[in-house]
Amino acid sequence: MKPVTTLSETGPPRRPPRKPWHNYLRTAFWVILGFVITIAAWQAIITIRDVPNYVVPPPGDVWESLNNDFDTLWRNTKPTAIESIGGFLIGSGGAIVLAIVFVHSRILRRMFLPVVIVIRTIPVVAIAPVLVLMLGNGLAPKLVIAALISFFPTLVNMVEGLESVNSQSLELFRVLSANRWEVFWKLRIYKSLPFLFASLKIASTASVIGAVVAEWIGSDKGLGALIILSTFNFRTSLLYATMVFASILALVLFASVALLERLVVRWQPE
Amino acid sequence: MGSGELRDNQDTDTAIEVAHATVRFATDQGDITALKDVSVEIGVGQFVTIIGPSGCGKSTLLRLIADLLEPVSGSVSVFGAPPSQARRARQLGFVFQDAALLPWRTAIKNVELPLEVGGRTSRDRPTRDPAELLDLVGLAGRHQAYPQELSGGMRQRVSIARALVTQPQVLLMDEPFGALDAITRNRLNVELLNIWAEIGTTIVFVTHSIDEAVFLGQRVIVMSTNPGSVHTEIDVPIEYPRAPDLREEPGFVAIAAQVRKGLETA
């Protein structure tokens, strides 16, 4: 009466079949067109309104600066990247650990979640000088600020994700006599991953903001320092080129997290 | 198959005994009595269905047996011991209304879940081969599929296989086919009876379909609401195996009418 099992390993593909390549081309076309129109509008406004170059540089000047000052830009990108990535890892890592603690101890959560939320309401630009005073001009205050800014979204989302288990799943694990450890590793962790990645994407770009802001306050290197330097020297083209680099750094971090998510979360969350 | 007569001889052994059980829930509006003085006795190897209007506590009764809830008074025993003992000994299988599969696990991995959790004591207990069980519930060829790639009926099949993997002596089913279309539901009813004939486990099946209750059960327990209690019990003296066209036969129709009257006065 049992069916034959020869077909048992031939499951369907996990994901829908890949889109044909010309679909990607079509998408790329519209994206590029969007950028082209934006840059054209930028040039047009400068020409029509006769905006001086030291106030808003034309796109061509920024392009020139990107080429001519590439070494300067690249040299200053490295410390900012180290601060952002380091801060991001420390902040998110700490947030994940604290979220796990909060989920397992209601008392600790009731005591310290309000403290965390109050600290969160202080703007980073207000905390940054305090930290520079405390920790000096080195790597430490930048790491701490980037970590702080990554910390909050990850903590809040991770707690929510770990608690997003429905009552039927919990009942299932109870019928199976699973202990807390098993409920955590076989259920809560997986439930939290989509939430975690959503917040990691936010945190990854926010950590770049944190590092740049920290560099404004006290640093002689990094993209933040370069922004201050080029502003005071009226090198507006370099300022814009620096912003382009900061934006690319944030995009690279974001894309890395998104790629990791695709590798880890291979199922469709309900 | 003649399994009907065989089982009738075993009715003397009690698998589940609920005696004068009362369950209350605390809510913001005060306590609600979900079950009041409920007594039910189910023999080893029996297939009993529970039917009643929503809010009559039929799911509560099932959760009482599964050790997911405790009575405030009265007693529940499974094979003469408290349900918690039966649960830890892996004697209970539970099938939930919406399958409750883990979406990050393939069908086969979902069936294997009970073998991965529950501590050392349960690991020495006899188990069934997950692949074989998936074949038994008609999912040969879909072992590696993720839940979202399966239809509602297929998901419920996986969840039945998962409940059977620990070889439970008691299978508790909470409206497992309630969300399925009529065709799938009728087919799964027949298949469930086949599985029952093969493994001979005690099954308690909650439903809100009269048709399903009479087609599956040897006995139908009709419950009434406010507070939840047992209204009547109706025997279904129809032999197994039962074929789908049984539903048109006068004997079946008469019993279904009896259940319907019971529900109307419930």
Side-chain angles (χ1 to χ4, degrees), chain A residues 1-5 7-15 168-169 171-178 182 186-187 190-191 266-268 270, chain B residues 63 67-68 87-88 90 96-98 100 102-105 113-114 116-119 123 132 135 140-144 146 148-149 162 198:
Chain A
M1 118 159 223
K2 280 172 203 159
V4 204
T5 55
L7 290 169
S8 63
E9 298 306 312
T10 54
R14 282 179 186 182
R15 291 179 172 280
Q168 280 210 346
S169 300
E171 282 187 335
L172 168 69
F173 276 75
R174 176 159 166 87
V175 170
L176 299 176
S177 301
E182 287 163 340
K186 307 248 174 218
L187 180 64
Y190 287 95
K191 276 291 205 176
R266 306 194 70 122
W267 67 92
Q268 259 149 25
E270 306 109 301
Chain B
R63 280 169 169 72
D67 189 36
L68 291 170
R87 170 172 64 78
R88 276 188 227 108
R90 296 305 181 92
F96 292 91
Q97 205 169 346
D98 74 350
L102 306 180
W104 51 88
R105 284 174 169 248
L113 178 74
E116 296 172 15
V117 301
R123 299 231 167 98
E132 217 174 88
D135 295 347
R142 302 307 299 270
H143 292 198
Q144 302 301 330
Y146 280 85
Q148 66 267 21
E149 297 163 353
R162 179 180 62 193
E198 193 182 311

Side-chain angles (χ1 to χ4, degrees), chain B residues 45-239:
Chain B
Q46 276 199 340
F47 198 135
V48 172
T49 51
I50 302 176
I51 193 168
S54 37
C56 71
K58 48 193 193 295
S59 289
T60 306
L61 179 55
L62 213 57
R63 280 169 169 72
L64 209 54
I65 301 166
D67 189 36
L68 291 170
L69 288 172
E70 280 179 9
V72 288
S73 66
S75 69
V76 183
S77 71
V78 179
F79 297 108
S84 58
Q85 203 172 312
R87 170 172 64 78
R88 276 188 227 108
R90 296 305 181 92
Q91 289 173 327
L92 305 174
F94 203 104
V95 178
F96 292 91
Q97 205 169 346
D98 74 350
L101 300 180
L102 306 180
W104 51 88
R105 284 174 169 248
T106 57
I108 186 92
K109 278 286 184 187
N110 265 291
V111 177
E112 285 167 1
L113 178 74
L115 309 179
E116 296 172 15
V117 301
R120 221 175 295 124
T121 47
S122 60
R123 299 231 167 98
D124 317 325
R125 297 200 52 82
T127 55
R128 290 198 59 155
D129 178 35
E132 217 174 88
L133 273 175
L134 275 180
D135 295 347
L136 175 69
V137 298
L139 281 175
R142 302 307 299 270
H143 292 198
Q144 302 301 330
Y146 280 85
Q148 66 267 21
E149 297 163 353
L150 300 171
S151 66
M154 286 172 167
R155 274 183 230 161
Q156 213 41 276
R157 288 166 195 262
V158 176
S159 124
I160 291 169
R162 179 180 62 193
L164 294 176
V165 78
T166 54
Q167 296 202 346
Q169 278 95 321
V170 172
L171 185 58
L172 306 167
M173 307 182 83
D174 187 14
E175 296 185 32
F177 309 142
L180 305 178
D181 61 273
I183 299 164
T184 311
R185 177 183 226 173
N186 288 347
R187 191 182 302 146
L188 281 171
N189 281 344
V190 172
E191 288 183 28
L192 179 61
L193 286 182
N194 288 339
I195 291 169
W196 178 56
E198 193 182 311
I199 63 176
T201 180
T202 310
I203 300 183
V204 185
F205 188 105
V206 166
T207 178
H208 51 232
S209 153
I210 296 172
D211 189 79
E212 191 171 59
V214 176
F215 184 79
L216 291 174
Q218 292 169 300
R219 179 157 49 109
V220 181
I221 297 175
V222 181
M223 293 185 70
S224 56
T225 182
N226 279 333
S229 51
V230 173
H231 182 66
T232 41
E233 299 198 19
I234 295 162
D235 280 316
V236 185
I238 301 173
E239 283 223 3

